[in-house]
Amino acid sequence: MKIFLVWALLVGMSFAVDQNSASSTPNADRSKPEHATSIQGADSPEDMQKLLAETAGTYRGVKSFRIEREIVAATESELMTLSSKSLVSVTVAPENRYQIVRKDAGTWDIHESDGKTEWIWYPWRKEYVEKSVERSSDPEALSPGESGIIAWLRQIDKKLASGRVQPPQTIDTGHGRVNCMVIIGPPPHQQRDPTMQQQTTYWIDRDRKILVKEQFVMRSTVPEHKFHSEGTTIYTTELNASFADSLFKFVPPVGTKKVEKIEFGPVELVGKTAPPLRLKTLDGKEFDLGSLRGKPVLVDFWATWCAPCRESMPHLAKLYDEFKEKGLALVSVSKDTIQQTLPGLS
């Protein structure tokens, strides 16, 4: 296929599990404007350290939890404007049971485990992998559900120790008004581009001692380089809750197949049977690729808007003329949504 597609995904912007990545929450209503109100009083650095320690203790003490995160991000520069939304939900229960759901514009995967078996499911592809859970002899080893966001939150007192406390705010995250301490996080350990300025701000619920919001901003410091990127993460958290056993047991939906391995990127097809291809020709007749079985067949996917596709057509015509006496069949499949033909092409 001679279609060149550039796919840009902006999915995680902050959160920093050592990669300064962020994710987010499914249940927040981002259609409503967020409101923040400054409140009287000021927090001291000592107040910040105390609340951070209490917050880390909140996460360290839980045996079961569900943390949902939603991030809405936007990037604007001279040459592009991008926006994205991603969802991540992590549910963990005792006995190494967990469910991890990740969804953005390009991917959707679900990891589930009942403590004995793990299933990795890709709903859009209707495929899943099943494998036994490997027991670790290390008592400190973490399950996949405990090695991501929760591991970072359990270290939040260390991660934000050198942060800067800001005036307190009461914010509306879509789940009610929350009285928050506001902390600007420390700068990244590695600044890849010195012309870029980045900052992450965190909002911590004083009453529940949990993180409820995070905002990442990156902008260019060079006037000639117009660049601004911003991502806001809203957290929805349940701690020490009881979750149904069915949440951790995968039941394949109808039409979903079990595979040994999920293939990503280019797939080696040499020597494999071509998949079924049934289409209509320009004159409305049914075409079945299987009708050419036994012949050498070249299938070319193209579109009128694809310049490289159009440029390749004379070469394909020459190739066909050269080998048609040896039985070569050339099948040209248009990706256009409506019937279009190029001049001189039937």
Side-chain angles (χ1 to χ4, degrees):
M1 176 187 293
K2 301 171 183 62
I3 298 175
F4 297 87
L5 178 66
V6 177
W7 181 256
L9 294 175
L10 182 59
V11 290
M13 297 290 306
S14 61
F15 164 10
V17 187
D18 293 338
Q19 295 139 333
N20 293 323
S21 62
S23 305
S24 33
T25 358
N27 295 330
D29 183 357
R30 304 298 296 156
S31 63
K32 298 179 181 179
E34 245 179 45
H35 300 286
T37 304
S38 297
I39 56 180
Q40 296 296 322
D43 291 304
S44 68
E46 291 74 22
D47 293 331
M48 182 189 78
Q49 300 297 342
K50 181 175 183 293
L51 183 59
L52 285 174
E54 292 172 338
T55 302
T58 297
Y59 293 112
R60 290 170 188 161
V62 299
K63 301 298 182 182
S64 64
F65 62 86
R66 173 181 285 145
I67 299 176
E68 298 177 334
R69 296 170 286 152
E70 175 186 86
I71 180 169
V72 176
T75 297
E76 183 176 358
S77 72
E78 291 181 79
L79 300 177
M80 71 174 183
T81 299
L82 294 174
S83 61
S84 70
K85 179 178 178 178
S86 61
L87 309 171
V88 176
S89 174
V90 180
T91 306
V92 171
E95 300 178 3
N96 201 30
R97 296 177 296 159
Y98 53 84
Q99 183 194 71
I100 305 169
V101 182
R102 289 184 288 250
K103 189 174 185 180
D104 57 42
T107 60
W108 182 14
D109 60 89
I110 301 173
H111 296 227
E112 293 180 357
S113 174
D114 61 1
K116 299 177 181 178
T117 305
E118 181 186 48
W119 298 270
I120 304 175
W121 176 34
Y122 292 83
W124 285 337
R125 297 178 58 157
K126 300 185 184 301
E127 295 178 335
Y128 72 95
V129 172
E130 178 180 317
K131 60 182 180 180
S132 298
V133 173
E134 296 182 4
R135 298 286 182 177
S136 174
S137 58
D138 182 1
E140 300 297 321
L142 300 176
S143 72
E146 295 183 304
S147 60
I149 175 65
I150 191 68
W152 188 89
L153 290 169
R154 286 169 174 167
Q155 299 293 320
I156 194 171
D157 53 338
K158 298 179 176 62
K159 299 292 185 180
L160 301 186
S162 59
R164 292 179 288 121
V165 66
Q166 303 298 296
Q169 291 182 0
T170 296
I171 65 171
D172 186 353
T173 64
H175 307 286
R177 304 286 288 176
V178 181
N179 178 14
C180 294
M181 176 180 285
V182 184
I183 300 172
I184 294 178
H189 296 298
Q190 293 182 343
Q191 185 72 37
R192 296 181 179 179
D193 186 345
T195 69
M196 289 292 182
Q197 181 183 70
Q198 54 183 302
Q199 176 178 289
T200 305
T201 306
Y202 303 85
W203 284 257
I204 297 177
D205 183 336
R206 295 175 185 274
D207 298 323
R208 296 184 64 196
K209 313 275 190 304
I210 60 173
L211 181 64
V212 294
K213 179 183 173 183
E214 177 181 334
Q215 186 173 64
F216 171 87
V217 177
M218 177 184 287
R219 61 173 62 89
S220 172
T221 59
V222 179
E224 295 80 9
H225 181 200
K226 178 186 175 184
F227 181 90
H228 181 93
S229 184
E230 183 173 314
T232 300
T233 303
I234 300 298
Y235 289 73
T236 299
T237 303
E238 296 179 69
L239 301 177
N240 291 321
S242 296
F243 302 106
D245 291 339
S246 59
L247 189 67
F248 311 105
K249 183 74 174 180
F250 176 66
V251 178
V254 175
T256 302
K257 66 178 181 179
K258 179 180 176 181
V259 296
E260 291 298 319
K261 180 182 178 182
I262 302 292
E263 299 283 355
F264 292 98
V267 178
E268 180 58 58
L269 298 176
V270 176
K272 295 184 179 180
T273 302
L277 181 62
R278 297 180 180 86
L279 301 168
K280 285 186 178 293
T281 60
L282 289 177
D283 57 5
K285 296 180 180 179
E286 297 291 335
F287 170 77
D288 185 347
L289 183 62
S291 64
L292 299 175
R293 189 177 303 278
K295 295 183 178 181
V297 181
L298 172 60
V299 182
D300 178 52
F301 294 87
W302 66 283
T304 54
W305 46 262
C306 173
C309 301
R310 297 197 303 269
E311 292 171 359
S312 71
M313 287 181 175
H315 303 286
L316 290 173
K318 181 180 179 181
L319 184 67
Y320 176 69
D321 287 339
E322 184 177 350
F323 291 100
K324 63 183 179 182
E325 296 300 327
K326 297 183 179 180
L328 176 66
L330 174 60
V331 179
S332 183
V333 182
S334 171
K335 299 289 287 182
D336 293 311
T337 55
I338 58 174
Q339 285 192 3
Q340 301 180 60
T341 57
L342 295 177
L345 179 67
S346 59

